[in-house]
């Protein structure tokens, strides 16, 4: 949103969060959708991510996620479930312990996100339910086709008809994954997300209001994590560092170890996103 000549601010419309964005875009709750939600919750003041110092150059990176009292903004049900699964207010968890901590709650986070696809009017039915229903029908059709082909081949000369039915049934199995249908409102949102992705990939990163650059870019980052362009926005944060002093606490939502600099943030975040995405959905 333009705020002045050569300046722009990022604004969330209709409380559409990064988890919503990723799920509407591909009709699935992916690990990156939940990870981007966690980053968004940090930016909004509900948790703080502390990168821990490594015991040696070869030690695996780890982070401590501490839950805070939180800001005054409203939480969506899936965000509340994610926070409750991570830690109680004032408590913390290491990313290396995250898999066992959230294993029971991650299914609830996914369910809540799918439910919001319907309650927000973006889908008539939950995308996962639609896929499951069509997959079951396709599997039943495939079994019937195989049995019928065996009967036709054994007792008639129409075995090729059965083979054709098998091919059609196999096609239904693949098509079932594409059956979820967005409503007109969902299609409009998807079109808006396309425009947002274009902006994230091309909009100048140096047009944030003076004095609020880190806050504004941080608010953009979770959406760029889902839609693309995260690297260029991380580079914009790096560009704001004009001295050689450590920047361990310069960001309100991500703290680095001693002698950590903002120029280390891109590598830190790439490691964090990869590690957390793998931890959240590990079994």
């Amino acid at each position: 949103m333009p705020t002045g000549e050569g300046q722009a601010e990022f604004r969330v419309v209709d409380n559409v969060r990064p988890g919503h964005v990723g799920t509407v875009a591909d009709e699935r709750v992916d690990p990156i959708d939940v990870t981007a939600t966690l980053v968004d919750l940090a930016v909004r003041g509900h948790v703080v991510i502390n990168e821990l110092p490594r015991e040696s150059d070869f030690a695996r990176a780890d982070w401590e996620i501490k839950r805070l009292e939180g800001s005054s903004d409203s939480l969506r049900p899936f965000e509340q479930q994610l926070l409750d699964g991570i830690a109680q207010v004032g408590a913390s968890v290491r990313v290396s312990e995250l898999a066992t901590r959230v294993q029971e709650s991650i299914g609830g986070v996914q369910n809540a996100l799918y439910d919001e696809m319907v309650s927000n009017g973006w889908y008539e039915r939950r995308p996962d339910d639609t896929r499951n229903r069509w997959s079951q029908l396709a599997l039943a059709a495939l079994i019937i086709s195989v049995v019928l082909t065996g009967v036709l081949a054994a007792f008639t000369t129409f075995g090729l008809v059965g083979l054709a039915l098998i091919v059609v049934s196999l096609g239904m199995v693949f098509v079932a994954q594409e059956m979820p249908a967005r409503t007109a409102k969902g299609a409009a949102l998807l079109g808006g997300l396309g425009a947002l992705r274009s902006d994230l990939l091309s909009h100048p990163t140096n047009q944030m209001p003076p004095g609020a650059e880190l806050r504004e870019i941080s608010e953009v980052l979770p959406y760029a994590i889902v839609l693309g362009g995260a690297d260029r926005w991380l580079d914009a944060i790096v560009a704001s560092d004009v001295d050689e002093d450590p920047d361990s606490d310069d960001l309100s939502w991500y703290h680095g170890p001693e002698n950590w600099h903002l120029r280390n943030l891109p590598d830190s975040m790439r490691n964090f996103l990869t590690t957390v995405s793998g931890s959240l959905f590990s079994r």
Side-chain angles (χ1 to χ4, degrees):
M1 176 184 294
T3 58
E5 185 176 353
Q7 296 181 17
E9 289 184 345
F10 181 75
R11 289 291 177 266
V12 176
V13 178
D14 296 332
N15 203 25
V16 178
R17 310 309 321 181
H20 294 140
V21 169
T23 307
V24 169
D26 64 5
E27 302 171 341
R28 289 171 172 79
V29 179
D30 298 318
I32 196 63
D33 302 335
V34 183
T35 305
T37 293
L38 179 57
V39 175
D40 185 50
L41 289 169
V43 172
R44 289 156 55 196
H46 294 280
V47 298
V48 62
I49 303 167
N50 294 297
E51 182 178 338
L52 302 176
R54 301 192 188 195
E55 296 180 359
S56 71
D57 292 339
F58 303 101
R60 180 178 298 180
D62 204 357
W63 299 259
E64 179 187 69
I65 302 173
K66 183 176 182 179
R67 185 169 175 185
L68 307 176
E69 188 67 37
S71 57
S72 59
D73 67 340
S74 60
L75 288 169
R76 306 300 302 175
F78 74 93
E79 295 175 325
Q80 187 69 60
Q81 291 208 36
L82 180 59
L83 284 174
D84 291 343
I86 290 174
Q88 297 301 310
V89 174
S92 62
V93 63
R94 291 194 174 196
V95 168
S96 56
E97 305 166 347
L98 200 57
T100 55
R101 182 70 66 89
V102 302
Q103 191 171 31
E104 294 183 1
S105 62
I106 198 66
V109 174
Q110 292 175 291
N111 281 330
L113 257 173
Y114 282 129
D115 285 341
E116 288 199 34
M117 296 298 103
V118 179
S119 62
N120 289 341
W122 298 326
Y123 288 85
E124 291 185 2
R125 298 180 182 84
R126 286 177 40 144
D128 59 330
D129 285 346
T130 302
R131 280 193 299 272
N132 289 339
R133 185 179 297 111
W134 279 93
S135 294
Q136 290 169 359
L137 289 173
L139 182 59
L142 179 60
I143 293 172
I144 293 172
S145 298
V146 170
V147 173
L148 183 59
T149 300
V151 172
L152 290 174
F155 300 103
T156 74
T157 58
F158 297 102
L160 291 178
V161 174
L163 290 176
L165 291 175
I166 291 176
V167 172
V168 172
S169 299
L170 286 172
M172 288 178 60
V173 172
F174 292 103
V175 171
Q177 303 305 308
E178 309 299 327
M179 290 309 295
R182 301 177 187 87
T183 62
K185 184 177 180 181
L189 175 60
L190 183 64
L193 295 181
L196 174 58
R197 183 175 189 274
S198 178
D199 283 344
L200 292 172
L201 293 172
S202 62
H203 189 81
T205 59
N206 59 352
Q207 293 186 351
M208 299 300 175
E213 295 93 343
L214 288 181
R215 174 177 59 81
E216 289 290 333
I217 296 172
S218 295
E219 291 177 357
V220 172
L221 185 59
Y223 295 85
I225 289 172
V226 174
L227 292 176
D231 286 346
R232 62 193 306 268
W233 293 98
L234 287 169
D235 289 342
I237 293 179
V238 173
S240 69
D241 184 19
V242 294
D243 56 46
E244 289 300 317
D245 297 332
D247 308 308
S248 301
D249 299 327
D250 280 24
L251 296 172
S252 63
W253 56 276
Y254 191 102
H255 295 166
E258 186 179 2
N259 294 323
W260 185 88
H261 294 264
L262 285 177
R263 61 175 175 265
N264 302 127
L265 182 63
D267 286 336
S268 292
M269 280 303 298
R270 278 190 284 269
N271 288 336
F272 177 79
L273 295 175
T274 300
T275 305
V276 172
S277 293
S279 298
L280 287 173
F281 284 67
S282 65
R283 289 292 184 267

